[in-house]
Amino acid sequence: MMEGTQRLGSCTRRALLCFVLVAVWKAACEQIRYSIPEEMQKGSFVGNIGKDLGLDLKGLSHRGVRITSRGRTQYFALDVSSGHLYITERIDREQICSGLEKCLLNLGIIIEDKMKLYGVEIEVTDINDNAPSFQSEILEFKISETTASGSLFPLRQAQDNDIGVNAIQNYQLSSNGHFSLEVHNGSDGAKYAQLVLEKPLDREELAFYNLVLTAFDGGDPIRSGKTQINVIVLDANDNPPIFSQAVSKVNIMENVPKGTEVVVIKATDLDEGVNKEIKYSFQKITHQGSQMFQLDSTTGVITLTGNLDYEETEFYEIELEATDGGGLFDRTKIVVLVRDVNDNAPEIAISSLISSVPEDSPPGTVIALLNVHDQDSGENGEVTCSIPSSLPFQLKKSFENYYSLVTDRALDREQEAAYNITVTATDHGAPPLSTSATISLQILDTNDNPPRFEQAAYTGYVRENNPRGASILSLQASDPDWGENARVTYSLLLLLLPGGEGSESPVSSSISIHSESGAVYALRSFDYEQLRELRFQVQAQDGGSPPLSTNVSVTLWILDQNDNSPEILYPASRSDGSTGVELAPRSSEPGYLVTKVVAVDADSGQNAWLSYQLLKATEPGLFRVGLQSGEIRTARSVLDKDALKQSLVVLVKDNGQPPLSASVSVTVVLADSLPQILSELSSLSASAAAAAAGGGGGAEPQPGLTLYLGIAVASVSGLFFSFLLGLLALRLRRWRNSQLLESGASGNFSGVPVSQFVGIDGVRAFLHSYSQEFFFPQPNYSNTLSSQKSCDVKDPFLLGEELNLSKADEESTQVSLLIWINSSPLPISVPPLELVLISKAPLGGKGFPMPAI
């Protein structure tokens, strides 16, 4: 009944111990504490993290809350839906915190969205889950029969991994008549048992005693362990071995190799013989210590057999026993102190990390949370964490060994697109050890840079007559941003005509720009003579949001090509291709200006430089043409043999490549007066008729004369007789009534040879002996163009003088006239009438007035 009650009470206390929160509070460093017993089942409740930290449970799962802890085994987990902290692995306090009074487990609660860290400290309390045990199942004592009553025999201490009340609290010896048990507390608080000889032994009475030693702990329920004690009664041996010191301390570095001699223990015995022979043995040593040290039972040398690690165990306590051959013994304690060496480099654990940040992130943006730890102690475990000073980041210590990596100034992706941040943790040992961890951080681009053209302004050149679609020039703009923010598109923003005013439609049909490459193309063929300059603006815009843009001015110059032939302004060609006739007196001196060929070229520059040359002439050497001026001058004096009519062909050529040219025919008549012209023409006509008659058709008439005669027939028949005869009839009536008839004519025709004109059917006339000689004025040929204006006839109607003719000669007398038809002189004969001539056009383009006859 009592045992059932004890079990019920024990279970109740364990249940309360499992679910009662021992210590929950928030310290200045935002750390909370819990207390749980060891050996709790998986899934057992530890504490309500969400409530204790004041977190909103609804958004807990979306805030990136997680647990971080040091060590290979994760004993706890967090339920983000309820905020409960629960156990995920079996917790054995003796395995985690062997020999420590307090067993504390530390972990961190990280809230990702706030980049905040909370510390959690969990104390694992001991439960009575280990029973006392003895290292040896049988303890053997050899006691001399001479041993006095009250002698004490120390017993090996039982081992219990529990602590506090759950550790060994008492020993009990089986009942017997000679021995009792004495239990006392040691300096370290442990219970030590000694066997007390209550009555003297008598080997002859009993040589062997079998006792049972039981060790009890103070747990609930109480656990116990037993060992057997065999007492052998010996003959007398009155001097036990003696150690010089009850406690000895030995210092040893943790990095000494295996096989190193740790210490040599010695005990002395004043007996002789077998009773003096001493054997050494471990009286009390932990399991870990038994694997680390080896004792030579004869020499007492303790040798290192394992690898010491200060971070695991700082010291070892060993109790040794020296026993002589007679069974007497003495004990001593050896404390092996392990000295720390700097054999552990710091460890860097990245608790939270952001792999990329925008370049416009403000200073103080958290990049990562780091935990730095060094397993060494003292100065060897003190760690300094650093990053290169040239980087735009800094480390801020949060609490304990946690650091925050934050930005300390503005970032610029165009200067540095990515950072490899090397975090170095260095301890203070000698020599110091360090560990590095590299954090890669990408800088995300923002559209903070507009496109930039390579030039402040662009100038392009294109030759006229270019093909459609030809590439004129290429514009290039660059954007130091990345991705869509760096994608540049081009467009025509403003188009300007040479006058400087914006005009979209005329010029937009002339050029276009490729939106991606920036190449400018011609949409039509340009003509330098129409358009010499084209100005417009191009906009380069990136693909960011919002987009950024830059404008640049472009000037396109049209280059001239030699695509226009010279145009002759004077002498002007008529519709039939003929030009006027220029007059030059036969008395002209060399260098006399006959006329001037005037030409222009629509091209410019070298393509418009004109030169003149005499391509063909009736009399080579008679005339010359100015190379640059185009002036036709006499090169020598006119000779009698020189023909009346001189035909010149003048070539006008530009200086282009290849050169273009034009030519004009100029007719020059060499005469000093109109009668001279008539006389020359009559002589030429008579000679032609005689040659035709004498030759019997052997020689054909000159083609030029035949052309003149044909033109004369048509002109005289149609124009002259229909128009002039009517006008002459009107003037004849006035003449008969005029008083001027009586006074006589102002001049008489003197004997002029009869001119016979061949080529006009049935027309033969003889010039009356009375004729009036008319002289042509000598115009100024220095400027042909100005002469044309100054010599126009202001009064086109000129009255002829009356003629006094006898009746006898009236029928046979005719007037010989020189008619200009299509700029060609033709002689015709008409009856003697009073004629009124109308000057319709300048003679040979010079505007000479015709006298009245």
Side-chain angles (χ1 to χ4, degrees), residues 11 25 60-61 65 127 203 304 330 346 625 638 678 722 764 824:
C11 292
W25 71 91
L60 202 60
S61 59
V65 178
I127 64 172
R203 183 180 178 277
L304 182 65
D330 191 13
V625 178
V638 180
L678 294 175
S722 62
R764 288 177 179 268
S824 300

Side-chain angles (χ1 to χ4, degrees), residues 249-253 256-265 292-294 300-306 308 316 318 334-338:
K249 292 183 179 181
V250 178
N251 293 318
I252 185 171
M253 305 302 291
V256 296
K258 294 179 180 180
T260 300
E261 184 179 293
V262 179
V263 67
V264 178
I265 58 173
M292 196 67 61
F293 303 100
Q294 181 180 355
V301 175
I302 298 177
T303 306
L304 182 65
T305 58
L308 297 175
Y316 295 89
I318 306 172
I334 302 296
V335 179
V336 180
L337 300 176
V338 181

Side-chain angles (χ1 to χ4, degrees), residues 447-453 478-481 485 488 540 542 548-550:
N447 193 25
D448 56 349
N449 291 280
R452 289 285 184 268
F453 284 97
S478 59
D479 195 317
D481 292 324
N485 296 332
V488 180
D542 59 27
L548 301 179
S549 62
T550 302

